[in-house]
Amino acid sequence: MNVQPISGEPARRRRRPWRGGGPLALALGSVLLLVSACGGGDGAAGKQPAGKAGDRAASQAAVVIEPKNGADGVATSGALKVTARQGRLKSVKVKDAKGTEIEGKTAGGGTLWQPNGHLGASTTYTVDAIAVDSQGREAAEHTSFTTLVPKNTFIGQYTPENGERVGVGMPVSIRFTRGITDPKAVEGAIKVTAEPSVPVEGHWFGNDRLDFRPEKYWAAGTKVTLKLDLNGIEGRPGVYGTQTKEVSFTVGRSQVSTVDAASKMMTVVRDGRTVKTIPISAGAPGTETYNGQMVISEKHAVTRMNGETVGFGGEYDIKDVPHAMRLSSSGTFIHGNYWSGKQTFGERNASHGCVGLFDQRGGGDSATPAAWFYDNSLLGDVVIVKNSHDRTIRPDNGFSGWNLPWAQWKADR
């Protein structure tokens, strides 16, 4: 049966009022809260807050590395540089295959990086560089390249040897296996230091020899270190060094011996004190001994001396000269002499330019002046000759560079 409304209005279904309770309400409330939190203060879901859009933009800086990634046969000098465009360099790291880092410096307000020195030959390097723009945003670049493999090479043959104990006059002398036409580059790759510290300078003799010394003789007890970093140095066009080496030697006690060709006596001074005076025989008239400061560069218990090897023809050939020590590359020695007679020493200059000391044949008598001097001398000890009727020895004849004044030693060659 149908029931008609009293008022005559159409019948409507009644709805219960919502009171906000129950599980469904909690769920809906959580969703609304989440949307509000994600959408920001203006209630727009997913919209970026004002002022934050720049954080997502790429850096305006760019890193450019030369040579290009994968390059081969790269020059060891002048080829490597790292540049920042529209920014500045934050860091640059260059390493070889062993992990050794190459030192460098920046210029141009941080826009350019270059190595401090040369690179090694036949070596692969990696480069990692980072630049930043004005907003601090980073741009990075990584590359690797390999330097050239030289067809022609050179090394430096050095004196003294590692670990030696030498006299105060011993220079650091390096002879190169090829003539050098870029001495500045080669000398820049060589470092000689001393402890205690003292200024040490290099001097070129010709194009294949470089010596280093201080202004005055080394102090007794000084430790001297030679570092050769020649690998990759172009010493002459197309000729590259292949050598990386470090050697050290120690200076022993100070011994300086002075030969007076006029009085025919030698005075031996050790650590400032005269320890012995020895009769000698210097060069005879016409074959006088050089004047000047010389350095013992070789020691031979017994050696042969043949006049033909030093321009005296067949005037002498003595096969068993005892206690011989070289003073010059041209053939000057200070040595034992058994053939002139003991009465000669201190009385007459009779040699072909050497300094002779009385000795026994075979050198077996340790009591002779020659044996004593030999036993008490080191490579690098100084022997000075004065009052001889001959010129001063050339600085490049043996280790005679001490005869060159310090200002000339340091002067440009």
Side-chain angles (χ1 to χ4, degrees):
M1 176 179 65
N2 293 327
V3 178
Q4 297 296 325
I6 297 175
S7 64
E9 294 180 353
R12 290 184 296 180
R13 183 178 296 172
R14 294 184 179 182
R15 297 182 180 179
R16 293 181 180 180
W18 178 65
R19 301 181 184 274
L24 178 59
L26 289 175
L28 288 172
S30 298
V31 171
L32 290 173
L33 180 61
L34 179 61
V35 170
S36 175
C38 292
D42 58 5
K47 186 175 179 180
Q48 180 75 15
K52 297 293 185 179
D55 290 350
R56 293 184 177 181
S59 174
Q60 297 300 304
V63 178
V64 178
I65 300 174
E66 297 179 52
K68 294 182 178 179
N69 187 38
D72 200 6
V74 174
T76 55
S77 296
L80 173 60
K81 64 178 180 179
V82 181
T83 306
R85 295 178 181 173
Q86 297 186 17
R88 59 179 178 80
L89 292 168
K90 180 179 180 181
S91 70
V92 177
K93 291 185 178 180
V94 181
K95 296 182 180 181
D96 63 16
K98 296 180 180 179
T100 303
E101 192 164 338
I102 305 302
E103 294 184 356
K105 57 185 176 183
T106 56
T111 61
L112 174 65
W113 181 96
Q114 289 179 297
N116 289 338
H118 64 284
L119 303 177
S122 308
T123 305
T124 297
Y125 291 94
T126 58
V127 184
D128 288 282
I130 299 173
V132 293
D133 64 11
S134 59
Q135 300 299 315
R137 295 168 298 197
E138 296 184 351
E141 195 71 36
H142 169 87
T143 65
S144 67
F145 64 90
T146 302
T147 52
L148 57 83
V149 178
K151 294 181 180 179
N152 300 296
T153 62
F154 74 91
I155 63 170
Q157 299 168 333
Y158 51 86
T159 299
E161 295 291 334
N162 186 46
E164 277 197 273
R165 180 173 175 265
V166 300
V168 296
M170 178 63 79
V172 175
S173 185
I174 306 166
R175 286 192 176 273
F176 300 100
T177 53
R178 297 288 296 271
I180 302 301
T181 59
D182 192 348
K184 184 177 181 181
V186 171
E187 187 170 347
I190 299 172
K191 188 175 183 180
V192 179
T193 56
E195 298 178 12
S197 180
V198 63
V200 181
E201 298 286 346
H203 185 88
W204 287 87
F205 293 112
N207 67 355
D208 63 353
R209 176 181 168 187
L210 174 62
D211 283 12
F212 290 85
R213 69 167 177 89
E215 181 176 4
K216 300 178 180 179
Y217 302 143
W218 303 105
T222 299
K223 180 182 179 181
V224 183
T225 299
L226 163 67
K227 293 183 179 180
L228 296 168
D229 186 20
L230 296 174
N231 184 23
I233 285 289
E234 190 173 16
R236 59 183 300 129
V239 182
Y240 292 83
T242 59
Q243 190 178 27
T244 302
K245 192 80 173 178
E246 180 174 325
V247 298
S248 296
F249 62 91
T250 303
V251 179
R253 79 291 174 274
S254 171
Q255 182 166 297
V256 179
S257 303
T258 301
V259 173
D260 188 334
S263 68
K264 305 169 187 65
M265 299 294 290
M266 177 174 71
T267 303
V268 181
V269 176
R270 186 178 300 158
D271 294 327
R273 184 174 64 88
T274 299
V275 293
K276 205 170 188 69
T277 302
I278 302 173
I280 60 93
S281 179
T287 58
E288 287 90 348
T289 306
Y290 289 124
N291 286 295
Q293 303 170 77
M294 293 173 255
V295 174
I296 297 174
S297 60
E298 298 175 14
K299 291 182 68 177
H300 305 279
V302 178
T303 193
R304 179 182 180 180
M305 292 187 176
N306 188 339
E308 292 183 353
T309 65
V310 288
F312 287 112
E315 293 186 29
Y316 64 88
D317 185 5
I318 305 170
K319 296 178 175 60
D320 58 350
V321 178
H323 298 128
M325 291 173 281
R326 182 182 289 276
L327 299 179
S328 78
S329 53
S330 62
T332 307
F333 280 75
I334 184 166
H335 61 78
N337 178 330
Y338 63 82
W339 54 88
S340 293
K342 189 174 183 178
Q343 69 280 0
T344 300
F345 303 95
E347 296 294 330
R348 183 167 62 93
N349 290 327
S351 80
H352 284 79
C354 292
V355 177
L357 311 176
F358 174 68
D359 209 344
Q360 296 290 343
R361 187 165 192 168
D365 185 354
S366 61
T368 65
W372 181 91
F373 189 67
Y374 184 90
D375 291 341
N376 285 274
S377 295
L378 296 173
L379 297 180
D381 280 350
V382 179
V383 177
I384 301 171
V385 177
K386 65 179 185 180
N387 297 326
S388 178
H389 297 294
D390 201 351
R391 64 186 183 276
T392 298
I393 191 169
R394 288 174 55 92
D396 61 345
N397 190 352
F399 296 149
S400 304
W402 300 102
N403 296 288
L404 201 61
W406 185 237
Q408 285 184 254
W409 181 270
K410 297 190 299 178
D412 291 336
R413 275 70 69 187

